[in-house]
Amino acid sequence: RALELKSDYPYAWHGLGLVGGGSVNGKAYSEKECYVRALELKSDYPYAWHGLGLVGGGSVNGKAYSRKECYVRAGQVLGQPQPVIVGQPLSGYQPVYIQQNMAGQDMKGAQIGWLLYLVGWFLCCCCGPIGPVFWFAVACMHFCKPAEQRAQLQQEKTVAMVSCFTGIICTGVVVIVIVLFIGLVA
């Protein structure tokens, strides 16, 4: 409703983008179009840059910005300039607020992984060899993520590796026991 009264209000365009887009004066706007419109009205609006980065980047005032460029632009507006080495931008740079978010994701993923790892041990001890299902699930939760994201999730990687190796070793032990049992029975 605010945009129908004042269509040059960048904060309202950003807000409309946050809810996935919407209709203004009978015209439908996508999430990306809302962020672009907010930035066309206020190019130093960091949260709109971040939102545009979340949807993969876009073209603002005729200039195309990638996802990474949007995040860098948001960080610059917030006073977090992109670091340079001998005058060249550092590749792989992410603004501090994105790094902090990844650290939180890493810790949460690691906590869930360790919980499932322990549940696997409990079930393995109480219900037989069902634990490897949980251990391999923990490994899959990590290794099915994109490589770029996995590289930033070191705590989660540790849990995934321990779970994977535990699952492989226990599965191998079960197979050996079954083979020996069959050999003794025959």
Side-chain angles (χ1 to χ4, degrees), residues 88-114:
Q88 296 298 317
L90 184 63
S91 65
Y93 168 74
Q94 289 183 331
V96 172
Y97 67 94
I98 293 179
Q99 293 172 1
Q100 291 168 344
N101 184 34
M102 289 303 289
Q105 258 188 318
D106 189 21
M107 186 174 11
K108 183 178 178 184
Q111 289 172 343
I112 291 170
W114 284 121

Short mmCIF file of all heavy atoms in Angstrom, two decimals, residues 88-114:
data_model
loop_
_atom_site.label_atom_id
_atom_site.label_comp_id
_atom_site.label_asym_id
_atom_site.label_seq_id
_atom_site.Cartn_x
_atom_site.Cartn_y
_atom_site.Cartn_z
N GLN A 88 45.32 -5.32 -6.04
CA GLN A 88 44.36 -6.23 -6.66
C GLN A 88 43.38 -6.74 -5.60
O GLN A 88 43.80 -7.14 -4.53
CB GLN A 88 45.08 -7.43 -7.30
CG GLN A 88 45.99 -7.05 -8.45
CD GLN A 88 45.22 -6.41 -9.60
OE1 GLN A 88 44.15 -6.86 -9.97
NE2 GLN A 88 45.76 -5.34 -10.16
N PRO A 89 42.07 -6.76 -5.93
CA PRO A 89 41.09 -7.26 -4.96
C PRO A 89 41.38 -8.72 -4.60
O PRO A 89 41.77 -9.51 -5.45
CB PRO A 89 39.76 -7.14 -5.70
CG PRO A 89 40.00 -6.19 -6.81
CD PRO A 89 41.46 -6.30 -7.16
N LEU A 90 41.20 -9.03 -3.33
CA LEU A 90 41.40 -10.39 -2.83
C LEU A 90 40.25 -11.26 -3.32
O LEU A 90 39.09 -10.99 -3.05
CB LEU A 90 41.44 -10.36 -1.30
CG LEU A 90 41.73 -11.66 -0.58
CD1 LEU A 90 43.12 -12.16 -0.96
CD2 LEU A 90 41.67 -11.44 0.91
N SER A 91 40.58 -12.33 -4.06
CA SER A 91 39.52 -13.20 -4.58
C SER A 91 38.95 -14.04 -3.45
O SER A 91 39.64 -14.36 -2.49
CB SER A 91 40.06 -14.09 -5.69
OG SER A 91 41.02 -14.97 -5.17
N GLY A 92 37.69 -14.40 -3.59
CA GLY A 92 37.04 -15.23 -2.58
C GLY A 92 36.61 -14.44 -1.35
O GLY A 92 36.15 -15.00 -0.38
N TYR A 93 36.73 -13.11 -1.41
CA TYR A 93 36.38 -12.28 -0.28
C TYR A 93 34.88 -12.27 -0.06
O TYR A 93 34.11 -12.21 -1.00
CB TYR A 93 36.86 -10.85 -0.51
CG TYR A 93 36.30 -9.86 0.46
CD1 TYR A 93 36.75 -9.82 1.77
CD2 TYR A 93 35.29 -8.98 0.09
CE1 TYR A 93 36.23 -8.93 2.68
CE2 TYR A 93 34.76 -8.08 0.98
CZ TYR A 93 35.24 -8.06 2.27
OH TYR A 93 34.71 -7.18 3.16
N GLN A 94 34.48 -12.33 1.20
CA GLN A 94 33.09 -12.14 1.57
C GLN A 94 33.05 -11.13 2.71
O GLN A 94 33.89 -11.18 3.61
CB GLN A 94 32.45 -13.43 2.04
CG GLN A 94 32.22 -14.41 0.93
CD GLN A 94 31.51 -15.65 1.43
OE1 GLN A 94 31.64 -16.02 2.59
NE2 GLN A 94 30.75 -16.27 0.57
N PRO A 95 32.10 -10.21 2.68
CA PRO A 95 32.00 -9.25 3.77
C PRO A 95 31.86 -9.94 5.12
O PRO A 95 31.40 -11.08 5.20
CB PRO A 95 30.73 -8.46 3.42
CG PRO A 95 30.58 -8.61 1.95
CD PRO A 95 31.11 -9.98 1.64
N VAL A 96 32.21 -9.23 6.18
CA VAL A 96 32.23 -9.78 7.53
C VAL A 96 30.87 -10.34 7.94
O VAL A 96 30.79 -11.41 8.52
CB VAL A 96 32.70 -8.70 8.54
CG1 VAL A 96 32.55 -9.18 9.96
CG2 VAL A 96 34.13 -8.32 8.25
N TYR A 97 29.78 -9.65 7.60
CA TYR A 97 28.48 -10.13 8.05
C TYR A 97 28.12 -11.47 7.43
O TYR A 97 27.42 -12.26 8.02
CB TYR A 97 27.38 -9.08 7.82
CG TYR A 97 27.06 -8.80 6.37
CD1 TYR A 97 26.03 -9.46 5.72
CD2 TYR A 97 27.78 -7.86 5.66
CE1 TYR A 97 25.74 -9.22 4.41
CE2 TYR A 97 27.50 -7.60 4.34
CZ TYR A 97 26.47 -8.27 3.71
OH TYR A 97 26.18 -8.01 2.41
N ILE A 98 28.61 -11.76 6.23
CA ILE A 98 28.34 -13.06 5.60
C ILE A 98 29.22 -14.12 6.26
O ILE A 98 28.78 -15.24 6.51
CB ILE A 98 28.58 -13.00 4.09
CG1 ILE A 98 27.54 -12.08 3.46
CG2 ILE A 98 28.53 -14.38 3.47
CD1 ILE A 98 27.65 -11.92 1.99
N GLN A 99 30.47 -13.77 6.58
CA GLN A 99 31.35 -14.72 7.25
C GLN A 99 30.78 -15.11 8.61
O GLN A 99 30.83 -16.27 9.00
CB GLN A 99 32.75 -14.11 7.42
CG GLN A 99 33.48 -13.89 6.12
CD GLN A 99 34.76 -13.10 6.30
OE1 GLN A 99 35.12 -12.72 7.40
NE2 GLN A 99 35.44 -12.85 5.20
N GLN A 100 30.22 -14.14 9.32
CA GLN A 100 29.63 -14.43 10.63
C GLN A 100 28.43 -15.35 10.49
O GLN A 100 28.23 -16.26 11.29
CB GLN A 100 29.23 -13.13 11.33
CG GLN A 100 30.42 -12.29 11.73
CD GLN A 100 30.04 -10.89 12.15
OE1 GLN A 100 28.94 -10.42 11.89
NE2 GLN A 100 30.97 -10.20 12.79
N ASN A 101 27.63 -15.15 9.45
CA ASN A 101 26.47 -16.01 9.22
C ASN A 101 26.93 -17.44 8.92
O ASN A 101 26.34 -18.40 9.40
CB ASN A 101 25.63 -15.46 8.06
CG ASN A 101 24.37 -16.27 7.83
OD1 ASN A 101 23.79 -16.79 8.77
ND2 ASN A 101 23.96 -16.37 6.59
N MET A 102 28.00 -17.59 8.13
CA MET A 102 28.51 -18.92 7.80
C MET A 102 29.05 -19.61 9.06
O MET A 102 28.90 -20.81 9.22
CB MET A 102 29.60 -18.84 6.74
CG MET A 102 29.09 -18.47 5.36
SD MET A 102 27.82 -19.58 4.73
CE MET A 102 28.78 -21.02 4.41
N ALA A 103 29.67 -18.84 9.95
CA ALA A 103 30.18 -19.42 11.20
C ALA A 103 29.03 -19.96 12.04
O ALA A 103 29.13 -21.04 12.63
CB ALA A 103 30.98 -18.38 11.99
N GLY A 104 27.93 -19.24 12.09
CA GLY A 104 26.75 -19.71 12.81
C GLY A 104 26.16 -20.96 12.18
O GLY A 104 25.77 -21.90 12.88
N GLN A 105 26.11 -20.98 10.85
CA GLN A 105 25.63 -22.16 10.13
C GLN A 105 26.53 -23.36 10.40
O GLN A 105 26.05 -24.47 10.58
CB GLN A 105 25.64 -21.89 8.62
CG GLN A 105 24.32 -21.58 8.02
CD GLN A 105 24.45 -21.52 6.51
OE1 GLN A 105 25.40 -20.98 5.96
NE2 GLN A 105 23.47 -22.07 5.83
N ASP A 106 27.84 -23.11 10.42
CA ASP A 106 28.81 -24.18 10.65
C ASP A 106 28.60 -24.79 12.04
O ASP A 106 28.56 -26.01 12.20
CB ASP A 106 30.23 -23.63 10.50
CG ASP A 106 31.29 -24.71 10.53
OD1 ASP A 106 30.96 -25.89 10.27
OD2 ASP A 106 32.46 -24.36 10.77
N MET A 107 28.46 -23.93 13.04
CA MET A 107 28.28 -24.43 14.41
C MET A 107 26.97 -25.20 14.54
O MET A 107 26.94 -26.28 15.14
CB MET A 107 28.29 -23.27 15.41
CG MET A 107 28.25 -23.74 16.85
SD MET A 107 28.41 -22.51 18.16
CE MET A 107 28.28 -20.96 17.41
N LYS A 108 25.91 -24.69 13.93
CA LYS A 108 24.61 -25.38 14.01
C LYS A 108 24.68 -26.73 13.30
O LYS A 108 24.19 -27.74 13.83
CB LYS A 108 23.54 -24.50 13.39
CG LYS A 108 22.15 -25.08 13.49
CD LYS A 108 21.12 -24.16 12.89
CE LYS A 108 19.74 -24.79 12.94
NZ LYS A 108 18.74 -23.97 12.29
N GLY A 109 25.28 -26.76 12.12
CA GLY A 109 25.42 -28.01 11.39
C GLY A 109 26.25 -29.03 12.14
O GLY A 109 25.94 -30.22 12.15
N ALA A 110 27.32 -28.56 12.81
CA ALA A 110 28.17 -29.46 13.59
C ALA A 110 27.40 -30.02 14.79
O ALA A 110 27.51 -31.21 15.10
CB ALA A 110 29.42 -28.72 14.05
N GLN A 111 26.62 -29.19 15.45
CA GLN A 111 25.84 -29.66 16.60
C GLN A 111 24.83 -30.72 16.18
O GLN A 111 24.69 -31.76 16.85
CB GLN A 111 25.12 -28.48 17.27
CG GLN A 111 26.04 -27.55 18.00
CD GLN A 111 25.34 -26.29 18.50
OE1 GLN A 111 24.26 -25.95 18.05
NE2 GLN A 111 25.99 -25.59 19.42
N ILE A 112 24.14 -30.48 15.09
CA ILE A 112 23.17 -31.47 14.59
C ILE A 112 23.90 -32.76 14.21
O ILE A 112 23.44 -33.86 14.51
CB ILE A 112 22.37 -30.89 13.40
CG1 ILE A 112 21.45 -29.78 13.89
CG2 ILE A 112 21.57 -31.99 12.69
CD1 ILE A 112 20.80 -28.97 12.79
N GLY A 113 25.05 -32.60 13.55
CA GLY A 113 25.83 -33.77 13.13
C GLY A 113 26.28 -34.61 14.31
O GLY A 113 26.17 -35.84 14.29
N TRP A 114 26.82 -33.97 15.36
CA TRP A 114 27.27 -34.72 16.54
C TRP A 114 26.10 -35.40 17.23
O TRP A 114 26.22 -36.52 17.73
CB TRP A 114 28.01 -33.82 17.52
CG TRP A 114 29.41 -33.49 17.10
CD1 TRP A 114 29.93 -32.26 16.87
CD2 TRP A 114 30.49 -34.42 16.84
NE1 TRP A 114 31.24 -32.35 16.49
CE2 TRP A 114 31.61 -33.66 16.46
CE3 TRP A 114 30.60 -35.80 16.89
CZ2 TRP A 114 32.83 -34.24 16.14
CZ3 TRP A 114 31.81 -36.39 16.56
CH2 TRP A 114 32.91 -35.61 16.20
#
